[in-house]
Amino acid sequence: MNANSDVDLHGALAWPFFEPRHRELAAGIEAWCRANLSHDGGHKDVDATCRRLVRELGAAGWLKYGVGGVAYGGHGDTIDTRAVCLLRETLAKHSGLADFALAMQGLGSGAISLGGTHEQKARYLPRVANGTAIAAFALSEPEAGSDVAAMTLAAREDGDAYVLDGDKTWISNGGIADFYVVFARTGEAPGARGITAFIVDADTPGLEIAERIDVIAPHPLARLHFAGARVPRSQMLGAPGEGFKLAMRTLDIFRTSVAAASLGFARHAMAEGLSRAASRKMFGQTLGDFQLTQAKLAQMALTIDSSALLVYRAAWLRDQGESVTREAAMAKWHASEGAQQVIDAAMQLFGGMGVQSGTAVEMLYREIRALRIYEGATEVQQLIVGRDLLKAHAAATGGNAK
Ligand SMILES: Cc1cc2nc3c(=O)[nH]c(=O)nc-3n(C[C@H](O)[C@H](O)[C@H](O)COP(=O)(O)OP(=O)(O)OC[C@H]3O[C@@H](n4cnc5c(N)ncnc54)[C@H](O)[C@@H]3O)c2cc1C
């Protein structure tokens, strides 16, 4: 990590969104990252690296923050969104894979924290929190990504169990997870109201890893195939037909944290860009002496600060118990798109070195790309914001909005 990056997130921790415990947490995770994460990025075996990172993050106590319920190994009784965001921002600044490892424990078990029975929570959450079990969230299908309510993976009731048939794809931690939270069509009603969530252990007969998927910033990813996979009724999460709502409630927490991770990548790029601008000699001057460079750096800083304000507004509001669907969508949209621009600008400052495989900006360029797509692509976030505005307008004026 470049020496220009600092512990206090460029002064953001002084903002009123944070409490003293958040400042302590941010300092703690920064120190841990510096001591434990080498920024080589050249992970040859992502499965082994991810397993190790989950164990280490668990042993150090960081995974507790993504789990709800002190009795089940969580840090608090509800998930502290600001804490999760600070952890992700800092981890992403140091290592995309470490951020991924922490994020997926929270996302993969989020529906259990929110909607699980005591038995389900007691069985899964303590192991997620201490890093001895790996979690995954299986929502997307080959023909149902953005339009998730079009999912077809079927769960058919059969005695005291449900039988699952169909495919899930783009499943992070696919292949290394110990269990998957799977959203399946149970058919109580058409569309979103006919979906139910299940916890499916990875060794369930009938569940197989059909394909491993390689992406530009490698991490464990797979297509899952279910052929007559029998899941006991006791593994159903929440009520039948309530799975879609559970998925959306989970995403409301973790979407803001995707924005926080984007911010971490952008901060790293800013540090790299500043260092390059201050040191690269050209035309008898230094790159940073040129006004064009200063304008570029200023734009990068503006994007980062506006992203940070949106991220921590959404996180703070959620921690106050408010609905944050619009704010989380704005944060994810702005921070992920903004980070891509910041990283691209940093890459430009490096000239040819920017595109050389293995340089920090080149790795960041690959790392940020998927964040503009998963947990709702930018266009989906735009629609969420637009529809919410119209709904609020209709409520205020007595009109109608869909
Ligand atoms: C690296 C990675 C990790 C992932 N991890 C997981 C995981 O752990 N679990 C899981 O369930 N899923 C996961 N996903 C899947 C991810 O959520 C989907 O890829 C995403 O929702 C988009 O779905 P899709 O790929 O089917 O694209 P499509 O739905 O086909 O969308 C294609 C494009 O269409 C555009 N678009 C979408 N809606 C609209 C609209 N209304 N109007 C105009 N344009 C629109 C967007 O630009 C979008 O990128 C992951 C994806 C990636 C890339």
Side-chain angles (χ1 to χ4, degrees), residues 34-312:
R34 288 181 184 217
N36 292 281
L37 299 177
S38 63
H39 202 85
D40 62 7
H43 308 293
K44 290 198 178 65
D45 182 344
V46 282
D47 287 9
T49 308
C50 262
R51 286 197 182 98
R52 174 178 56 78
L53 284 167
V54 170
R55 272 196 313 274
E56 290 175 1
L57 287 162
W62 304 123
L63 298 179
K64 288 171 185 282
Y65 290 89
V67 167
V70 174
Y72 308 110
H75 184 262
D77 278 328
T78 54
I79 294 173
D80 179 335
T81 323
R82 287 166 292 173
V84 172
C85 287
L86 286 170
L87 289 170
R88 288 203 65 181
E89 177 177 344
T90 309
L91 286 166
K93 202 173 63 166
H94 290 270
S95 156
L97 213 48
D99 165 59
F100 168 82
L102 176 125
M104 282 313 305
Q105 289 298 91
L107 180 67
S109 66
I112 305 178
S113 289
L114 291 172
T117 61
H118 165 68
E119 288 72 24
Q120 290 168 343
K121 289 179 178 178
R123 180 165 173 214
Y124 291 97
L125 295 182
R127 291 184 293 139
V128 171
N130 68 21
T132 55
I134 296 182
F137 178 81
L139 185 67
S140 306
E141 297 184 3
E143 300 303 325
S146 305
D147 183 10
V148 71
M151 72 172 62
T152 57
L153 185 141
R156 177 176 48 84
E157 205 171 348
D158 182 25
D160 62 352
Y162 280 77
V163 179
L164 272 55
D165 286 287
D167 281 14
K168 290 285 173 190
T169 194
W170 301 112
I171 307 309
S172 297
N173 278 344
I176 67 164
D178 292 288
F179 68 90
Y180 299 86
V181 168
V182 178
F183 297 85
R185 181 155 299 287
T186 37
E188 291 73 17
R193 286 173 293 120
I195 292 167
T196 304
F198 297 89
I199 312 169
V200 183
D201 290 326
D203 59 4
T204 302
L207 163 58
E208 65 169 46
I209 304 301
E211 178 192 5
R212 292 297 299 265
I213 305 170
D214 286 333
V215 282
I216 54 176
H219 69 244
L221 197 66
R223 178 165 65 84
L224 315 180
H225 180 62
F226 296 79
R230 204 174 164 82
V231 179
R233 182 186 298 275
S234 58
Q235 295 291 87
M236 182 190 285
L237 260 177
E242 295 292 316
F244 185 83
K245 276 192 214 151
L246 199 51
M248 294 307 122
R249 282 173 63 209
T250 308
L251 289 175
D252 262 357
I253 305 174
F254 290 98
R255 214 164 244 170
T256 308
S257 82
V258 177
S262 306
L263 186 56
F265 291 135
R267 286 200 196 281
H268 186 178
M270 182 79 203
E272 295 290 337
L274 275 172
S275 163
R276 176 73 174 175
S279 60
R280 176 65 170 165
K281 302 291 177 215
M282 58 171 70
F283 304 109
Q285 296 187 72
T286 302
L287 180 57
D289 291 333
F290 295 96
Q291 289 184 337
L292 281 172
T293 307
Q294 291 161 18
K296 189 173 270 131
L297 293 169
Q299 179 65 56
M300 291 160 75
L302 179 66
T303 303
I304 287 175
D305 275 10
S306 53
S307 296
L309 283 161
L310 287 172
V311 168
Y312 290 106

